[in-house]
Amino acid sequence: MVECYGILGSVGFCVRCFAFSVREIWCLNRRRISNGKQPASLWTTSADGLVKLRRDPSCSQTPVTVHQMFQESLEKYGSFNAMASKKAGKWEKITFAEYYRLSQKAAKSFLKLGLLRFHSVAILGFNSPEWFISAVGTVFAGGIVTGIYTTSSPEACHYIAHDCRANVIVVENQKQLDKITQIWNRLPHLKAVVMYKGPLLEKRPNLYTMDEFMELGNEIPDRELDAIIRSQKPNQCCVLIYTSGTTGKPKGAMLSHDNITWTSAHASRAGDMQPAEIQQETIVSYLPLSHIAAQIYDLWTGIKWGELVYFAEPDALKGGLVNTLKEALPTSHMGVPRVWEKIMEKIKDVSSQSGFVKKKMLSWAMSVSLERNLSYSNSDLKPFRMRLAEALVLAKIRNALGFSRCQKHFCGAAPLPSDVMQFFLGLNISLYQAYGMSETTGPHCMSGPYVHRRDSCGKAVPGCKVKLANVDEEGNGEICFWGRTVFMGYLNMEDKTKEAIDEDGWLHSGDLGKIDRDGFVYVTGRIKEIIITAGGENVPPIPIEDAVKKELPLISNAMLVGDQKKFLSILLTLKCAVDPDTSEPTDALTQEARDFCQKVGSQATKVSEVVRMRDQAVYRAIQDGIDRVNSRAVANVQCIQKWAILQKDFSISGGEFGPTMKLKRQAVIEKYKDEIDSFYKN
C-alpha cells in the first residue's frame, strides 16, 4: 500500500491514499441510518431513502436483503460451482463458498478505500467474475452497484459517476481506465479506481490492480462488516440502473434489496428456472450487465437458485458467442431480439451456401417443425415426420449452436419480430418472451414452457399486476405495472418519478399494449414512438416496419418516419457482413442479400453497388414489396409513400442502436435529417 502523507484524525481520512478508517465510516453510516424516518411513500428520489413495499395478500413473501438471499443459497449450494471463466484457454471454476468469501473480501476493501453508505461503486467492463464479486461486495459494504456501459464515452461515464456519487470505479482494462483518467479530476466523490484485467501501464496514487485491491481490506475485522450488513433493510437501495438517455439525460432507476431478491426468486420461477437441488441451471453471461435484463438473469438469479454462470469472451457479440455456448452447453439462454436475428441470419447464410440436397432437407425439416409448433397440442407424442426431421436435421443444427441441452430460450428488452419467432419454431426452438423495464427490475411479465402464447410476452408474474390505462376503441392502452418488481424512484429526479408513478402507485410504462381474456399481454407500440401525422392520425411504426422486413429478406433495418408530416416514409438498410474485430457494418452484402439480388436480376454484391448506382432491379423489387405491404394497410394513412436505402447499416458505434441493440429513433432522425427532409420537399 502507498505511504500515507497526512491524516486528518477527526475524519480518519488519508490524503494520499484516500483510505478512511472503517470506524469513522461506520459512525457516519450509523448517523445516516438513525436519522432515517419510516417510509410513508411507495417512492423516493434519495439514495438513502426508504420506501413502502408493495406487499398484499397476493404477494406476501417475507422481504430479504441481498446478503440474506446469498446466505440462504450458501447453505444449500456452497459446494456447487458458481462461476466459470477462461484463463489461458482453460475453464477455471469457483464454488459459491469461494464466491461468498471473495465478495466479503471485496466489501472490506471497498470500506478501506472509503466507500460511504449509499454511495456507489461504478463498474465499467465486460462480464467477468470480477464484475460479479465487485457488485456483491459493494452491496455487502452498504454501497450501491452502478454499471456503466463499456461503449460509453468519457463524458457519458462522467455523467453517471458524478450523478451516483461513485466513491470507487472498477474498470476492466486500460481502454476503460483511459476514459476515467480523463475525467477523474471532475469527480469530487471518487477516491480510487481498480482495474481487473491487465497490468497497470502507469502507477499513480489511488489506482490499484484487482489483486492489490483484494488485499486492502485484510485488516478490517469481520465484526465491522457484519455490523454494516445487519443494518441493511430490504426497502433500501442497492442497485442503480441508468436508462439509455435516448430522450434526455439518463435516469438512475433505484432498485431496492427487495426489488432484486423478490424478482430473482419469483420472476425466474415464472420462467421455469430450476433450483440447483433439482437441476443446476447453466447459463452464459454476455449481455451488458449495466442493463437490468442481464444483471437480474445472470448475477442475482444465479445466486438465488445456485446457477453455474459461464462468462463469454468480450468478442461474444462479434461472433464469438457460439464458441462459448458449445463449450458451456447452457440449459437456459437469453438474448435480445437482435441477437436472435443475427443467429437466424447466420443460419440462412450458411444454408444458402450449402448444396441443393442440404437446402431441401433444411427447408423440409423446418416446415415440418413449424407446422407442428403452430398447431401445437398438449400431447408429448411426436409424429413420425417430426421425429425424422429432428434426427436428420434439427438436432444437428441445435448442437452446432451449443443448444443441445438448452430447455428454455428467452427473449427480452425489445419486441420480437414474428418472422424471427417463426424461424426458430422451425428449428423446434420456442422463444419465450419476457417483458419489463429497468423500472420493474427486468421481467414483470414472463413466458415459459407452461405459460406462453404466440406473439405475447406472457402473463404478469404471480404476485404482480398489470393493467391498461386510457384504452382506445381497438383495445390498446398504456401498460401499467404494480408489484414488488416496481422500482423505488429515479435518483434525484422527483418530477420524472412523479411522471412515472401515479398517485395510486402504478408505474406507467409508456408502452401501448393489449391484454387478452386469459391475461396474456401483447405490446403493440410505444407512446413516444407513435407517429402522429399532420392530419392527426396515430400510426404505430413497429408493425409496418416488421411487415417490410418480412416482405423483403434483404432488408436489415427499417424505420418509419412521418411525425407531423402529410404522409409516411421509411428509411431502409441492407443486410451486410460485420467486421469481426470492430462490429462495424461493412459494404459487403450477406449471402442472403446477394441471393435476393440475384433472384430479382441483379449482380450486386455490395451495398454501395445497390445504393450509389440505384440498382434498378433491386429498387424495383423493394418498391414491389412495399406495394404489397401497403395493399394490406388498414387505412391509406398507414401506407408508405417514399423510401430510401441508407449507405450503411445501423450499429451501436454508429449511434443508431443503444448498448442492448434497441433502436434509438431520435438519434436516427437527427443523423439522417437530410434524407428525411428530402422526402417532404415540394
Side-chain angles (χ1 to χ4, degrees):
M1 185 167 170
V2 293
E3 182 180 353
C4 297
Y5 281 80
I7 297 290
L8 300 177
S10 62
V11 183
F13 174 69
C14 167
V15 174
R16 173 75 185 273
C17 69
F18 284 78
F20 281 75
S21 75
V22 175
R23 182 180 302 278
E24 179 61 24
I25 295 170
W26 175 237
C27 291
L28 287 170
N29 285 338
R30 288 301 298 167
R31 285 199 293 272
R32 296 186 72 173
I33 295 166
S34 63
N35 290 337
K37 299 179 181 179
Q38 288 299 311
S41 174
L42 291 168
W43 60 266
T44 181
T45 59
S46 299
D48 60 352
L50 302 168
V51 293
K52 289 172 64 177
L53 299 180
R54 289 170 167 78
R55 296 179 70 188
D56 60 34
S58 70
C59 192
S60 60
Q61 295 88 356
T62 302
V64 296
T65 64
V66 164
H67 184 267
Q68 288 171 324
M69 178 178 77
F70 205 142
Q71 275 201 317
E72 290 172 6
S73 295
L74 190 62
E75 293 173 5
K76 294 184 287 186
Y77 314 129
S79 62
F80 286 57
N81 285 323
M83 293 187 279
S85 58
K86 225 169 195 182
K87 304 288 172 63
K90 294 184 178 180
W91 288 105
E92 293 184 2
K93 297 178 181 178
I94 66 170
T95 65
F96 277 94
E98 181 70 359
Y99 184 4
Y100 180 82
R101 185 187 71 81
L102 291 170
S103 298
Q104 282 196 309
K105 279 179 68 72
K108 291 180 180 180
S109 294
F110 283 131
L111 292 175
K112 184 66 176 178
L113 289 175
L115 175 62
L116 290 171
R117 191 70 182 271
F118 305 115
H119 284 240
S120 283
V121 171
I123 310 177
L124 174 60
F126 187 72
N127 310 23
S128 66
E130 293 86 355
W131 212 111
F132 278 32
I133 290 163
S134 297
V136 177
T138 298
V139 178
F140 284 5
I144 298 174
V145 184
T146 304
I148 302 178
Y149 288 110
T150 57
T151 53
S152 297
S153 66
E155 284 307 310
C157 293
H158 176 266
Y159 175 84
I160 291 175
H162 188 276
D163 191 60
C164 71
R165 299 182 304 172
N167 288 156
V168 182
I169 299 179
V170 178
V171 300
E172 177 183 3
N173 51 26
Q174 188 66 41
K175 177 182 177 181
Q176 303 299 349
L177 175 60
D178 289 343
K179 297 176 184 178
I180 302 306
T181 55
Q182 293 180 50
I183 59 174
W184 197 327
N185 62 357
R186 293 191 285 131
L187 294 172
H189 300 286
L190 184 60
K191 299 167 184 176
V193 176
V194 179
M195 190 170 82
Y196 63 80
K197 186 180 290 185
L200 295 173
L201 299 183
E202 181 183 355
K203 189 66 178 175
R204 61 175 287 175
N206 318 311
L207 175 60
Y208 304 91
T209 66
M210 195 70 182
D211 288 341
E212 292 170 342
F213 163 75
M214 291 296 282
E215 299 304 315
L216 290 177
N218 286 342
E219 64 192 59
I220 308 300
D222 288 346
R223 65 178 182 276
E224 295 192 7
L225 175 60
D226 291 342
I228 292 175
I229 289 171
R230 284 196 303 272
S231 73
Q232 295 172 10
K233 298 178 175 62
N235 58 347
Q236 292 174 324
C237 182
C238 67
V239 171
L240 266 175
I241 301 291
Y242 276 84
T243 62
S244 60
T246 54
T247 56
K249 289 182 178 179
K251 302 187 290 289
M254 298 193 298
L255 302 178
S256 68
H257 287 261
D258 186 64
N259 287 147
I260 294 295
T261 57
W262 192 93
T263 305
S264 297
H266 299 285
S268 59
R269 289 295 286 143
D272 201 43
M273 297 296 282
Q274 297 297 314
E277 62 267 30
I278 297 175
Q279 169 195 290
Q280 187 178 30
E281 300 277 9
T282 300
I283 67 170
V284 172
S285 179
Y286 70 102
L287 292 173
L289 290 165
S290 355
H291 190 268
I292 188 56
Q295 194 177 132
I296 200 73
Y297 180 82
D298 300 3
L299 171 53
W300 305 116
T301 301
I303 293 172
K304 174 61 184 176
W305 296 122
E307 298 168 2
L308 172 55
V309 180
Y310 280 78
F311 292 97
E313 297 294 319
D315 67 350
L317 293 175
K318 299 176 184 178
L321 176 61
V322 70
N323 297 325
T324 306
L325 292 173
K326 289 164 73 173
E327 294 183 52
L329 299 178
T331 59
S332 174
H333 186 68
M334 182 184 69
V336 297
R338 194 61 180 159
V339 168
W340 293 111
E341 285 180 357
K342 288 297 183 184
I343 294 174
M344 177 182 74
E345 290 167 6
K346 183 65 176 177
I347 293 172
K348 286 183 175 181
D349 265 0
V350 171
S351 172
S352 66
Q353 297 176 53
S354 301
F356 176 79
V357 174
K358 285 188 175 181
K359 283 183 184 178
K360 280 294 185 182
M361 287 287 288
L362 177 60
S363 177
W364 167 78
M366 290 186 68
S367 65
V368 169
S369 177
L370 181 60
E371 180 183 355
R372 178 178 183 271
N373 282 303
L374 290 179
S375 59
Y376 183 77
S377 67
N378 291 325
S379 172
D380 290 330
L381 296 175
K382 294 181 181 178
F384 174 74
R385 285 200 313 154
M386 186 64 197
R387 296 199 302 273
L388 192 62
E390 273 284 303
L392 294 178
V393 181
L394 304 180
K396 293 177 181 178
I397 293 177
R398 294 198 300 275
N399 289 347
L401 294 173
F403 291 149
S404 59
R405 294 177 60 233
C406 200
Q407 302 155 353
K408 298 171 286 287
H409 308 78
F410 295 107
C411 182
L416 178 69
S418 59
D419 64 316
V420 180
M421 179 205 68
Q422 292 203 14
F423 179 86
F424 281 96
L425 284 178
L427 297 177
N428 205 16
I429 293 175
S430 294
L431 296 183
Y432 302 126
Q433 294 195 65
Y435 169 56
M437 313 162 62
S438 300
E439 295 85 346
T440 61
T441 324
H444 190 93
C445 299
M446 281 291 300
S447 297
Y450 305 106
V451 181
H452 64 97
R453 190 162 288 177
R454 195 163 66 248
D455 298 325
S456 168
C457 52
K459 294 183 178 183
V461 171
C464 293
K465 299 173 185 176
V466 61
K467 72 173 185 178
L468 301 180
N470 303 316
V471 182
D472 64 21
E473 62 276 5
E474 296 179 358
N476 289 293
E478 183 180 12
I479 300 171
C480 302
F481 303 112
W482 175 279
R484 299 270 282 276
T485 65
V486 174
F487 77 141
M488 301 175 70
Y490 295 119
L491 179 65
N492 302 325
M493 290 185 173
E494 185 170 331
D495 289 346
K496 295 293 184 182
T497 302
K498 286 181 177 179
E499 285 178 19
I501 301 175
D502 66 25
E503 293 180 356
D504 297 321
W506 285 83
L507 170 65
H508 288 244
S509 68
D511 290 325
L512 290 172
K514 296 181 179 181
I515 303 175
D516 69 19
R517 64 181 64 186
D518 297 318
F520 283 92
V521 178
Y522 303 79
V523 180
T524 56
R526 182 150 181 84
I527 292 173
K528 291 181 180 178
E529 291 177 355
I530 291 294
I531 294 172
I532 304 177
T533 67
E537 295 90 349
N538 289 6
V539 180
I542 292 176
I544 299 174
E545 293 162 353
D546 286 349
V548 170
K549 289 194 289 183
K550 186 175 181 180
E551 198 66 51
L552 297 165
L554 87 164
I555 298 300
S556 177
N557 287 284
M559 197 187 98
L560 201 68
V561 295
D563 200 53
Q564 302 301 315
K565 304 296 183 183
K566 293 181 179 180
F567 56 83
L568 300 179
S569 303
I570 197 164
L571 298 173
L572 305 171
T573 68
L574 304 184
K575 289 180 179 175
C576 61
V578 175
D579 186 308
D581 296 322
T582 65
S583 292
E584 282 276 333
T586 68
D587 191 37
L589 292 170
T590 63
Q591 184 63 49
E592 183 183 13
R594 294 200 300 271
D595 289 347
F596 180 91
C597 291
Q598 290 177 6
K599 187 176 179 180
V600 301
S602 167
Q603 299 303 311
T605 60
K606 296 180 179 180
V607 175
S608 56
E609 293 173 357
V610 174
V611 179
R612 292 174 188 169
M613 305 302 293
R614 292 186 64 86
D615 187 296
Q616 290 188 5
V618 175
Y619 273 64
R620 184 169 56 250
I622 290 175
Q623 184 60 60
D624 290 344
I626 287 176
D627 288 344
R628 291 192 294 273
V629 172
N630 286 342
S631 70
R632 298 191 295 269
V634 296
N636 287 337
V637 69
Q638 296 197 13
C639 290
I640 300 165
Q641 301 294 330
K642 294 186 179 182
W643 53 273
I645 306 173
L646 303 177
Q647 295 187 17
K648 198 170 186 180
D649 197 5
F650 295 164
S651 65
I652 295 175
S653 58
E656 298 94 352
F657 286 139
T660 57
M661 304 298 286
K662 189 179 291 185
L663 184 62
K664 298 169 69 173
R665 291 180 183 270
Q666 191 55 42
V668 174
I669 289 171
E670 292 171 4
K671 183 172 182 177
Y672 297 104
K673 183 178 183 299
D674 290 344
E675 287 83 350
I676 294 171
D677 286 347
S678 69
F679 293 145
Y680 301 102
K681 288 180 179 177
N682 301 329

